[in-house]
Amino acid sequence: MCGIVAYIGSREAYPIILKGLQRLEYRGYDSAGVALLDKKLEIYKKKGKVAELEASLVGKNLHAQAGIGHTRWATHGEPSDRNAHPHRSSSGKLAMVHNGIIENFAPIKKELVSKGYVFESDTDTEVLLHFIEDIYKHDAKSLEEAVRIALKRIVGAYVIILLDQDHPDTLIAARKGSPLVIGIGKNEHFLASDASPIIEYTKEVVYINDYEMAIVKPDELILKNPGNERITPFITKLDMELAAIEKGGYDHFMLKEIFEQPTAVFDCLRGRLDPKAGTIRMGGIDKHLDLLKEAKRIILVGCGTSWHAGLLAEYVFEELCRIPVEVEYASEFRYRNPVIHPGDVIIAISQSGETADTLVALENAKKQGAFIFGVVNVVGSSIARLSQAGAYTHAGPEIGVASTKAFTAQLTVLYLIAMKLGFAKSAITKERYLHLINELALIPEKINEVLRKADDIKILAEKYKDARDFLFLGRGYNFPIALEGALKLKEISYIHAEGYPAAEMKHGPIALVEEGLPIVFVATKDAYHEKLVSNAQEIKARKGKVLAIITENDTIFHEIADETIAVPAADEILAPLLSVVPLQLLAYYTGLAKGLDVDKPRNLAKSVTVE
Ligand code: AGP
């Protein structure tokens, strides 16, 4: 949830940490801070965005070659200067940043208070820091040992990095549940929550696993397992370019990423879909095809937008593979004690690959013998490493908090899997299989056609930006897209919006309809079209405003609707890849028209690494 950066080496630490925090700000922007160690330990922190911290430090002597930094998504203690990280220990010699939640901080705090410790903040993090220092002072020979002892008592998730005034050449880091990657340079090391702060300095990285500790010096990286044994760091080469994490001339990452969708879908298909040969090749599927063909059921697990991708995949897998499918909110699936049979296939969907609810739900299911197949965007992420097989979505880094290109790339991978499995199981004919292959190959260009309507959608957004509520309706494959459209508008414009299966309206929600209420119909041509036309007339009869995403040349819906955005015709099963794009743009331009920060919407973060 929070973003953590650290540096130790021969360069000036502050500019590296500041830029790193700017790159990680999509992980949380309630407050920011940095601790720098030259001769003395200096800590600077401020409520608000990284820019406010930077402004408050102009003119200060920030010289140091070791430092830690943090950008916060508040869990324990409201956003404020005193709850901002880094925290300082009671001796004043230790500073610590933390990403995660210490669930048993209260009893530990009680113990420490009884020992006379005084707390500056309301955070769980400060409790852990005082706890570590207490052990360091009384029971441990080294800070590393004190950290190891303390973490044995901790329940929850964490990445922590400590700076010690008495040992300015060493950083201590540890991980459980939250992500940590270490970049290896010449006589320098970079530590961060993900690779984006590291990419411009080195492509050689080590992904730290749960319960591992890192003792980091300028010229040495020592990794230790939970048994305190040294382990050899597994170095991975980053396959990402700096340009991918820059705005590239767009005003916002969200707009850039919406316009990157033709390329994202194309990259997702590249090397997998071969229209000429009429084949789909996917290493992760090919290797386990028999297991997947014999699967008694498929369970799709995810959160937020990834859950919406799963919901659409339920329709697609049942249609093309004739396998029973269930879709689960990871947070509910993890605690519901679900019935899992060995051999059940779980498809985990996650852009970041670090969402705590999804990660822990998978760990539980894996323990019960389920086969985990990951559909993930971030290479080397925890869910990717936990999965027994998988397919990356190749959408490239997604920085905007609202997921857009990762969603269409997730759908594309799920379509490929369903088409391949359906044909392998002879649940679809060769003719249908080849038809869908050719249709899917046309999608990138068709998305380009939709993007050419951006200005029309901008006008629509400005017209309806002051609406108090919105409803989004769809049927069949377009129902999950209606949910996704509502989520995007909520996230970006803070307008209350709900998505429904259109036929559900008569069972209650239609009571909400009054004069002028904007209701978006995701109405591309499909088997449900006539029914949807009737649903739209029911809304019109109650003076609701019908805004419709329609298939080009659909004169019937064009007649009924107050506003229409037409998308190119496509096989109804693939049309969601087109109909979602205008909804992403509607959300973007509505947020823009309301003067909101569309890349960093309030109260949100890109990767939810705490429960
Ligand atoms: C979507 O715009 C949101 N950022 C959020 O709902 C997101 O989809 C959810 O947190 C899941 O994230 P993941 O795909 O990285 O697991």
Side-chain angles (χ1 to χ4, degrees), residues 419-433:
M419 288 155 64
K420 186 172 177 70
L421 197 51
F423 182 59
K425 285 170 63 76
S426 309
I428 55 174
T429 62
K430 174 97 179 168
E431 190 208 356
R432 177 105 174 101
Y433 182 55

Side-chain angles (χ1 to χ4, degrees), residues 102-160:
I102 309 299
E103 291 168 21
N104 61 336
F105 81 100
I108 296 172
K109 184 171 185 175
K110 212 152 160 245
E111 276 172 39
L112 292 167
V113 168
S114 68
K115 288 185 178 180
Y117 281 87
V118 178
F119 289 83
E120 303 286 325
S121 76
D122 313 318
T123 66
D124 52 339
T125 306
E126 190 188 6
V127 174
L128 175 56
L129 178 55
H130 289 323
F131 185 48
I132 289 169
E133 185 163 66
D134 189 58
I135 295 167
Y136 190 15
K137 267 194 274 183
H138 302 109
D139 314 324
K141 294 185 278 315
S142 70
L143 179 59
E144 178 199 334
E145 194 188 352
V147 170
R148 186 170 297 107
I149 295 168
L151 293 178
K152 284 209 171 69
R153 275 263 323 261
I154 293 302
V155 178
Y158 57 79
V159 160
I160 54 173

